Amino acid sequence: MTTRRTRPAPRPPEGTPPRAELARQARAVLADAVRIAHWAAGTPGPGTATPLAAHALERAATALELSPAQVRAGWDRARLAGLVELHGDTARPGWRLRAWDRDDSAVLRGWVALFDAWSLVHAAPEGVEAGAVAEAIEAVPQVLSLLQLSAGPVTVPALLDLLGQRVAELHEERCEVPLGPGRTASAAPAGTDADRAAATAGPDRSADLNALLLDWALEGLAAVGALTLGRGHATLTPLGNWAVWVKLEQICVAAQSPAGNIEQSAADMLLGCARLTPGPARDEYRAWLAARTIRSAVAELLAVARGEDALLRGLAFEALRVVGAPAEPEVRAVLAEPSLRPYALLWLAEYEGNDPDDAQDVLSREESTWLWVDTAAAVADHGETGLLVRHLDSAVQGTVPALLDEVRAVGHPRTVQVLVALAAAHPDPALAKAVRRAAFQVHTGGA
């Protein structure tokens, strides 16, 4: 057995307000969102999407004495901060809303969720290519780091210079080699819109684009209370300063990982984390993610999840939970894949604010059964015999015969192997015999 050297709890930068004061500031930022969340949770059918349905928007504006624009913005924030959960046409209070007045940690987690989603709060400039917007989002952590390290106002030109440098690094990582003024040879297929734009864009236009995107990013971060804007400069608020410090500290702690997983492939990294407890495993995930672009990391994790190893499938989605909001579009896109759908549904339910203990409710009976078989396959391949026997208790079916009937029908490719392993492990001869019979029926295609 190896031991990990513990590290004293790091102290926030001098001048950081106490958590109670930070929570008070977060409550102030989200005050309208909390009011709208309470209204939506107590009103039948307030709407299913952003923006609210027109009739609900008018009712909310009248009831809360806010403008329609304020209601729409508050609704967006309530959803992003996990204050409300949508179930069909009904909005229900999220767990953070229920704990809002008494739990400072819940408040700060809700605000950090909003902070992480700043690019969704403030619409991107019209007419700007999605790839350029994504590059700006990816460069913002460096901008925030400079603001945090400066511990005071930073001029916009300095931030613009850093943004431009980071964007250039991203181009270099993608092997986009400059051919001349304003032209690049991209790794993308020739003839794409991006290539045509790059071929015609001059250096002035590139600088103008970066300036436009920096203004958008600063305004978006200001909109969620992370910074304030002055004449030609920006300054982190106490909340923003604390949040950036926390994220930098997490990366630094994670980077000290003794397991050496940072340079490994996603599959090897996940296997290396398989026997870690949740806290150290998350540190490993953060370290691995910090060494990669979010886009490539998410793609690699989902590629591993599509493989045959059920253990890695589950661990891949645990790592995606650490990614958070940036992974949401890719996770939502795999809902159509049967092998990933149950994991994606649970991920999205927790991302949208559901209590993890209640997240299973989003799965259909068939999806729950499929997930039970997949988890059993992971236990059979990597776990101990006793775990497989205890796994029976987690099935949604009330009896073993009912479970076997539904397992046979669900069509999981590992059904036979799981049933054979369970029959071999179970100490009850009668039950083991029934399970072996079910395995034989699945194998032969019998009823």
Side-chain angles (χ1 to χ4, degrees):
M1 177 180 296
T2 60
T3 59
R4 297 179 63 138
R5 180 175 297 176
T6 59
R7 181 175 181 264
R11 294 184 176 183
E14 185 176 353
T16 301
R19 285 178 68 84
E21 172 59 19
L22 291 170
R24 186 196 67 77
Q25 295 177 17
R27 287 185 175 98
V29 171
L30 285 161
D32 283 350
V34 170
R35 291 181 63 201
I36 292 166
H38 278 301
W39 176 86
T43 304
T48 59
T50 303
L52 291 168
H55 67 284
L57 187 64
E58 295 172 2
R59 284 191 290 126
T62 301
L64 300 172
E65 298 182 345
L66 297 172
S67 70
Q70 288 174 315
V71 172
R72 190 177 291 109
W75 176 252
D76 285 344
R77 292 171 180 231
R79 291 186 63 199
L80 293 170
L83 298 172
V84 290
E85 304 168 8
L86 295 182
H87 300 266
D89 290 338
T90 303
R92 297 177 186 170
W95 70 270
R96 284 179 183 147
L97 182 63
R98 294 191 292 269
W100 197 254
D101 294 328
R102 56 179 170 79
D103 189 340
D104 288 347
S105 293
V107 172
L108 291 173
R109 284 196 295 269
W111 182 83
V112 169
L114 180 68
F115 169 67
D116 288 339
W118 67 266
S119 61
L120 303 178
V121 173
H122 191 58
E126 293 184 3
V128 178
E129 185 181 326
V133 173
E135 290 171 352
I137 294 171
E138 201 163 340
V140 160
Q142 280 71 28
V143 172
L144 289 169
S145 296
L146 176 59
L147 285 163
Q148 198 271 338
L149 292 171
S150 299
V154 179
T155 63
V156 170
L159 297 175
L160 181 59
D161 183 58
L162 179 60
L163 179 75
Q165 291 178 29
R166 181 57 184 143
V167 169
E169 290 172 359
L170 293 173
H171 290 174
E172 185 176 351
E173 290 170 5
R174 291 198 301 271
C175 300
E176 294 179 353
V177 183
L179 297 179
R183 300 186 63 192
T184 60
S186 172
T192 64
D193 291 342
D195 287 329
R196 287 192 289 271
T200 57
D204 292 340
R205 177 177 173 179
S206 177
D208 290 343
L209 178 60
N210 284 342
L212 177 65
L213 291 169
L214 176 65
D215 287 344
W216 165 67
L218 295 178
E219 290 167 3
L221 291 163
V224 299
L227 54 79
T228 57
L229 298 175
R231 189 181 296 274
H233 65 266
T235 309
L236 285 176
T237 63
L239 266 177
N241 187 67
W242 168 79
V244 175
W245 171 77
V246 166
K247 291 180 180 296
L248 289 173
E249 185 64 24
Q250 288 173 343
I251 292 172
C252 290
V253 171
Q256 298 174 12
S257 157
N261 291 311
I262 296 175
E263 296 181 359
Q264 302 296 322
S265 67
D268 289 340
M269 180 273 294
L270 293 172
L271 281 175
C273 295
R275 294 193 178 276
L276 296 178
T277 55
R282 284 192 292 269
D283 288 344
E284 294 290 325
Y285 301 152
R286 291 188 185 100
W288 187 84
L289 291 165
R292 290 156 179 79
T293 64
I294 291 297
R295 187 182 307 173
S296 64
V298 170
E300 191 173 350
L301 288 169
L302 287 175
V304 171
R306 292 185 179 98
E308 296 182 358
D309 193 323
L311 176 66
L312 293 186
R313 186 158 31 253
L315 291 175
F317 277 87
E318 287 300 318
L320 288 169
R321 284 178 172 85
V322 173
V323 177
E328 189 263 345
E330 286 78 6
V331 172
R332 198 173 293 279
V334 303
L335 287 173
E337 301 180 37
S339 65
L340 302 187
R341 180 176 173 80
Y343 294 95
L345 286 171
L346 292 174
W347 190 99
L348 290 167
E350 293 181 28
Y351 169 71
E352 291 168 359
N354 289 9
D355 190 300
D357 292 336
D358 300 330
Q360 292 279 347
D361 295 343
V362 304
L363 300 182
S364 68
R365 180 79 164 228
E366 183 178 10
E367 289 160 351
S368 293
T369 303
W370 196 100
L371 184 60
W372 185 92
V373 179
D374 207 48
T375 306
V379 175
D381 289 344
H382 301 277
E384 300 174 358
T385 300
L387 290 178
L388 189 59
V389 174
R390 291 195 294 274
H391 184 55
L392 272 175
D393 296 334
S394 67
V396 296
Q397 293 78 8
T399 66
V400 171
L403 170 64
L404 294 178
D405 286 343
E406 295 185 32
V407 164
R408 284 197 297 261
V410 80
H412 192 290
R414 295 290 305 280
T415 298
V416 172
Q417 295 95 323
V418 164
L419 293 178
V420 169
L422 181 58
H426 207 283
D428 184 335
L431 189 147
K433 181 178 179 180
V435 173
R436 277 194 298 272
R437 184 184 303 115
F440 178 76
Q441 291 171 342
V442 174
H443 178 64
T444 60

